[in-house]
């Protein structure tokens, strides 16, 4: 790093407000990562197009709410519908026919979807430039008592909605009949089929719910970054990193990992003035996680044979 | 491809190479520039063939390896006044080292997690390492490097045809190298590693070392392509080496069929002339990645072996029909392998 890096002790005074932003961002990552883990656990496919699905759905919300001026909750609903529809199409048309093929073939299909969605979005909405965010809640806020930290109502809403939905998914898996079926399919698809579970239907449900979560995450993150098609598509690496912390299976740990990632991405910005620091933090955290969490021969090669 | 190559086949290949070398003599400078790009893309696809086709490892950071070659050559030539011939081996070495570094986690990670890691590497390179202010001595900072074209044995490679021939020669050498590798002991070992790591380890092969070697070779070829691209364009900027380029490259190589070396030239021709054809028929060339993505989806669902292998298969079947010959054709035997 060169002269552009300016270290300053005054960065410490920024930490409280950066904590707020980091937590908000972490909440969004938690939501995206939960969707990713849900899809991976149930269908055995690591979805590299997760960010692209989020991006495309978000741009649908952008078109409806920002360009056409329809109230943003309707835009959000449209994004959710788009995400679920994309999830269904990807699963039904391109994952289901690949049953029994190697995991890397399925990865290649999701990569193809990434390319298709990314290019299509670029053609429709332009691949660069400033886009006004889809603002669900006003950005005014309140001061935390006894401190001078300001929390925006939008930030609070984003955090609560995102973490609520993530934990809600854990609850769904644990306590509902669909959740039980999903866990059965995740553990052993063949055995689940013998028990009379419609494995295809459950798998499609996981793709639809997981992709809808990605869509919500995409819409929620728009006020937090200068978003374009590329920056939302690469959201997938943040979701991956959080999911890796949860070993790609554990949802509560994934939420914790996501919040950790949000903070780790933001804290360095208090001390250094340098572009790309978030990406550096993500990379380092991903490396550490891969080194510490994954031992040879663990869960890693899971995928329906 | 086992067994000796038939004399006819060798003559046929020589004729194709000669035609590919001579035809651009009739073309415009612009067209020859595209031809050079096709050769460079072919080299990049060859790097994917080595990694994905030989050891079954998928990578989404081939353009990051290319960037290592390109930016090293750019920085050494433009920033330090080095000759291209000294900068090139350094650039390739840097790329090889980067490849081995990325491959090291293969010691403990499955192919799937390693693929995730390559995404992280691509985004780290594209959104941190090459960003202005991080390491301007390498990335060039706000003003991109402008490496100039070298001369070879006193003949300047500034002309579009000369440079095309130079790039084509390098591609031929690289293809021969990879081809020989595949036919020899190394090829057998790598296929064993690809087909079953467990079985390969059981018969005493050092799977990790071979995977690392494949990563190094693949990254080296990509770095070579990056260096050629830097000098061909005369400017090195981070946007040409980002994650999406890598994704598109991997998709393209998969469409063509990563198990066949012939996928490399086929993909080169497709990426460079595909967009040209599209602009010819009034569809914007920005649609090209959309077509590759769609083609990849259709191919994986309908034609799993890849376009090149499938075509070879079909041609062999056609030849058999025409000649009325029965039995297994060598091309089919290979496709089936």
């Amino acid at each position: 790093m060169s002269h552009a890096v300016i270290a300053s002790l005054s960065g410490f005074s920024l930490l409280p407000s950066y904590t707020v932003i980091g937590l908000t961002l972490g909440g969004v990552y938690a939501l995206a990562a939960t969707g990713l883990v849900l899809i991976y656990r149930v269908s055995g496919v690591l979805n590299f197009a997760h960010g692209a699905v989020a991006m495309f759905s978000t741009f649908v919300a952008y078109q409806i709410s920002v360009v056409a001026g329809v109230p943003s909750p309707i835009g959000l609903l449209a994004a959710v519908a788009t995400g679920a529809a994309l999830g269904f199409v990807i699963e039904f048309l391109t994952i289901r026919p690949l049953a029994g093929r190697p995991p890397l073939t399925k990865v290649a299909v999701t990569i193809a979807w990434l390319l298709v969605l990314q290019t299509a979005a670029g053609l429709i909405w332009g691949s660069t430039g400033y886009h006004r965010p889809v603002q669900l809640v006003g950005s005014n806020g309140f001061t935390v008592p006894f401190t001078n930290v300001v929390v925006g109502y939008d930030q609070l809403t984003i955090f609560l909605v995102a973490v609520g939905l993530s934990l809600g998914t854990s609850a769904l898996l644990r306590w509902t009949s669909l959740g039980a079926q999903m866990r059965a399919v995740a553990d052993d698809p063949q055995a689940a089929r013998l028990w009379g579970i419609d494995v295809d239907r459950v798998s499609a449900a996981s793709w639809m719910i997981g992709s809808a979560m990605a869509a919500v995450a995409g819409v929620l993150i728009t006020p937090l970054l200068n978003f374009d098609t590329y920056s939302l598509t690469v959201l997938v690496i943040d979701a991956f990193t959080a999911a890796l912390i949860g070993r790609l299976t554990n949802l509560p740990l994934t939420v914790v990992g996501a919040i950790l990632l949000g903070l780790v991405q933001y804290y360095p910005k208090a001390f250094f003035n340098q572009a790309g620091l978030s990406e550096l933090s993500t990379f380092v955290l991903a490396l550490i996680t891969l080194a510490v969490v994954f031992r040879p021969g663990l869960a890693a090669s899971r995928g329906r044979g | 491809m086992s067994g000796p190559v038939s004399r006819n086949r060798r003559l046929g290949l020589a004729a194709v190479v000669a035609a590919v070398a001579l035809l651009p003599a009739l073309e415009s400078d612009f067209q020859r520039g595209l031809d050079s790009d096709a050769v460079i893309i072919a080299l990049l696809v060859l790097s994917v063939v080595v990694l994905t086709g030989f050891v079954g490892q998928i990578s989404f950071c081939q353009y990051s390896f290319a960037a290592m070659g390109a930016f090293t050559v750019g920085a050494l030539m433009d920033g330090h006044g080095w000759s291209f011939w000294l900068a090139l081996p350094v650039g390739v070495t840097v790329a090889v080292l980067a490849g081995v570094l990325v491959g090291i986690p293969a010691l403990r990670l499955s192919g799937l997690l390693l693929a995730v890691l390559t995404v992280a590497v691509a985004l780290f390179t594209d959104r941190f390492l090459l960003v202005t202010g991080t390491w301007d001595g390498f990335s060039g900072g706000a003003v991109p490097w402008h490496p100039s074209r070298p001369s070879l044995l006193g003949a300047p490679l500034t002309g579009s045809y000369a440079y095309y021939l130079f790039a084509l020669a390098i591609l031929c050498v690289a293809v021969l190298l990879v081809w020989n590798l595949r036919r020899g002991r190394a090829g057998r070992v790598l296929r064993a590693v690809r087909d079953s790591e467990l079985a390969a380890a059981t018969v005493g092969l050092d799977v990790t070392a071979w995977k690392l070697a494949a990563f190094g070779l693949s990254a080296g070829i990509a770095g070579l392509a990056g260096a050629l691209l830097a000098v061909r364009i005369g400017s090195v900027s981070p946007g040409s080496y980002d994650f999406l380029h890598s994704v598109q490259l991997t998709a393209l190589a998969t469409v063509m069929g990563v198990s066949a070396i012939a996928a490399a030239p086929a993909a080169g021709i497709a990426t460079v002339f595909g967009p040209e054809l599209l602009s010819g028929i009034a569809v914007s060339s920005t649609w090209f990645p959309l077509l590759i993505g769609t083609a990849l989806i259709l191919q994986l669902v309908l034609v799993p072996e890849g376009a090149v292998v499938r075509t070879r298969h079909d041609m062999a079947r056609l030849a058999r029909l025409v000649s009325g010959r029965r039995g297994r054709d060598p091309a089919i035997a290979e496709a089936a392998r």
Side-chain angles (χ1 to χ4, degrees):
Chain A
M1 293 201 205
S2 65
H3 61 287
V5 176
I6 302 155
S8 71
L9 287 175
S10 66
F12 283 108
S13 63
L14 291 170
L15 285 187
S17 51
Y18 276 31
T19 306
V20 174
I21 310 175
L23 285 175
T24 315
L25 204 57
V28 178
Y29 292 157
L31 189 55
T34 304
L36 191 73
V37 170
L38 183 70
I39 292 172
Y40 178 70
R41 275 200 67 185
V42 177
S43 71
V45 180
L46 207 46
N47 183 14
F48 282 70
H50 203 59
V53 168
M55 178 274 297
F56 200 89
S57 314
T58 302
F59 268 89
V60 170
Y62 167 81
Q63 183 68 37
I64 289 175
S65 296
V66 178
V67 177
V70 177
S72 38
I74 295 176
L76 179 67
L77 281 180
V80 168
T82 309
L86 282 174
F88 178 76
V89 167
I90 295 175
E91 199 279 341
F92 185 74
L93 291 182
T94 59
I95 297 294
R96 206 172 286 184
L98 294 184
R101 301 270 291 279
L104 284 183
T105 306
K106 296 171 185 168
V107 164
V109 156
T110 65
I111 272 296
W113 277 105
L114 188 164
L115 210 51
V116 166
L117 292 172
Q118 169 76 31
T119 317
L123 288 170
I124 302 171
W125 291 288
S127 43
T128 51
Y130 174 75
H131 300 96
R132 270 184 297 142
V134 183
Q135 197 81 40
L136 285 167
V137 185
S139 56
N140 55 333
F142 61 93
T143 308
V144 180
F146 309 114
T147 66
N148 56 357
V149 179
V150 179
V151 177
Y153 288 120
D154 57 342
Q155 293 171 323
L156 188 66
T157 316
I158 291 170
F159 183 78
L160 291 179
V161 168
V163 173
L165 278 176
S166 306
L167 298 178
T169 307
S170 301
L172 175 135
L173 279 179
R174 189 175 288 268
W175 285 303
T176 67
S177 146
L178 178 63
Q181 291 184 4
M182 283 180 167
R183 278 183 290 135
V185 173
D187 289 343
D188 188 341
Q190 263 78 41
R193 209 182 290 274
L194 288 178
W195 278 96
I197 293 172
D198 188 343
V199 174
D200 286 341
R201 198 181 63 95
V202 171
S203 176
S206 76
W207 273 85
M208 291 173 72
I209 297 172
S211 301
M213 293 174 87
V216 177
V219 174
L220 290 183
I221 207 173
T222 56
L224 301 175
L225 53 92
N226 185 8
F227 78 105
D228 54 34
T229 51
Y230 189 48
S231 65
L232 287 178
T233 295
V234 300
L235 189 65
V236 70
I237 194 63
D238 303 301
F240 271 145
T241 306
L244 289 176
I245 293 175
R247 286 172 176 257
L248 293 173
T249 46
N250 187 328
L251 285 180
L253 206 55
T254 299
V255 173
V256 172
I259 289 170
L260 179 70
L261 176 66
L263 292 175
V264 163
Q265 282 187 351
Y266 247 87
Y267 282 153
K269 293 187 182 183
F271 303 98
F272 304 104
N273 175 21
Q274 163 67 40
L277 277 184
S278 311
E279 283 77 11
L280 177 66
S281 305
T282 314
F283 182 65
V284 171
L285 192 60
L287 275 186
I288 293 174
T289 310
L290 285 173
V292 173
V293 175
F294 288 91
R295 299 270 144 66
L298 265 184
S301 58
R302 189 207 176 287
R304 260 196 249 158
Chain B
M1 206 159 304
S2 48
V5 185
S6 75
R7 198 184 148 75
N8 282 343
R9 236 185 128 158
R10 227 178 261 181
L11 281 176
L13 266 175
V16 169
V17 171
V20 168
L22 293 177
L23 276 179
L26 308 170
E27 290 176 335
S28 66
D29 273 349
F30 174 73
Q31 198 63 45
R32 285 180 197 148
L34 292 181
D35 296 342
S36 300
D37 286 342
V39 169
I40 290 164
I41 296 282
L43 260 181
L44 284 164
V45 172
L46 189 67
S47 79
V48 178
V49 168
V50 167
L51 199 56
T52 314
F54 290 7
V55 289
Q57 179 59 55
I58 201 163
S59 157
F60 301 116
C61 62
Q62 292 305 104
Y63 266 90
S64 307
F65 297 143
M68 294 300 143
F71 281 86
T72 306
V73 165
L76 289 179
M77 287 180 74
D78 195 13
H80 297 273
W82 284 37
S83 139
F84 175 74
W85 303 108
L86 284 175
L88 181 68
V90 177
V92 172
T93 310
V94 170
V96 169
L97 289 178
V100 172
L101 264 182
V102 174
I104 283 178
L107 276 166
R108 47 196 306 164
L109 294 182
S110 73
L112 213 52
L113 292 179
L114 208 54
V116 173
L117 183 66
T118 61
V119 175
V121 168
L123 290 173
F124 166 77
T125 311
D126 144 28
R127 289 167 73 97
F128 175 71
L129 189 62
L130 298 179
V131 166
T132 303
T134 302
W135 184 15
D136 290 353
F138 182 67
S139 68
V143 185
W145 301 119
H146 291 289
S148 48
R149 298 258 180 103
S151 9
L152 178 60
L153 304 171
L157 297 176
T158 38
S160 58
Y161 188 47
Y163 194 74
Y164 167 72
L165 287 180
F166 168 62
L168 185 66
I170 288 190
L171 174 67
C172 288
V173 171
V175 164
L176 272 180
L177 179 91
V178 171
W179 195 29
N180 276 324
L181 186 85
R182 187 175 137 136
R183 283 156 51 86
R185 178 179 127 78
R188 287 198 304 278
V189 171
L190 291 175
R191 272 201 299 282
V193 170
R194 179 193 67 188
D195 293 343
S196 168
E197 284 186 22
L198 199 62
T202 310
V203 296
L205 296 174
D206 188 345
V207 171
T208 310
W210 282 102
K211 255 193 161 170
L212 278 187
F215 256 103
L217 177 65
S218 170
I221 294 173
L224 181 66
L228 288 181
L229 189 62
V231 182
R232 135 99 181 98
I233 300 175
S235 162
V236 197
S237 51
S240 317
Y241 300 91
D242 67 7
F243 170 58
L244 284 179
H245 278 85
S246 295
V247 165
Q248 198 178 326
L249 178 73
T250 302
L252 185 75
T254 316
V255 169
M256 295 301 170
V258 281
S259 59
I261 292 175
I269 292 166
T271 23
V272 174
F273 298 104
E276 278 300 298
L277 284 179
L278 286 180
S279 60
I281 54 171
V283 179
S284 164
S285 61
T286 44
W287 284 68
F288 188 62
L290 192 66
L291 291 190
I292 297 179
T294 315
L296 180 55
I297 292 172
L298 292 175
Q299 183 249 311
L300 287 172
V301 176
L302 305 173
V303 192
E305 68 269 39
V308 165
V309 177
R310 176 60 168 259
T311 308
R312 198 185 282 163
H313 191 141
D314 289 346
M315 295 296 274
R317 195 191 282 166
L318 190 69
R320 214 168 26 150
L321 278 178
V322 170
S323 66
R325 189 154 49 96
R326 308 274 309 184
R328 276 166 77 83
D329 184 282
I332 297 179
E334 193 204 357
R337 195 196 53 221

